[in-house]
Amino acid sequence: MPDLRPHLAEAAVVVVPLRLGGGTRLKIVEAMAMGKAIVSTTLGAEGIEAVPDRDIMIADDVESFAARVSGLLGDADRAADLGRSARLLAESKYAWSSAAHALEGFYRTRLAISCGTDGKAPTLRQQQRRAER
């Protein structure tokens, strides 16, 4: 897959006029990580925990979509605010460190359930009791 970053770096606004389709929305997350203002359809932003008008602009009809894009192109401060908010969301929800932290929490919970403890490894005595069963 080609590197999208040089193209995103040049974009004043990233548009995602998706009306059909499925799959992941990684291109939106990449644009968010680069602090870009984004205008998308509801379908295009599906599955992304973005708040409309704070992290992303959402419009589902042609006129509204064009108005949102045009509005951001004409208001660099608003586009920058939207991009900053999108960047913060990408860092808090979609960065590798956030994913690793969530996965670690999942494993700790599973460990606690399987060990019957608060996530600590079973003591030697607990291991012996289990072996006796």
Side-chain angles (χ1 to χ4, degrees), residues 41-52:
T41 58
T42 300
L43 181 63
E46 189 174 71
I48 296 175
E49 295 182 34
V51 175

Side-chain angles (χ1 to χ4, degrees), residues 2 9 16 54 77 81 86-87 89 95 100 105 112 117 121-122 126 130 132:
V16 186
R54 184 190 73 190
D77 290 337
D81 288 343
R87 168 79 184 184
L89 176 66
T117 67
Q126 288 170 327
R130 285 193 188 128
E132 292 169 1

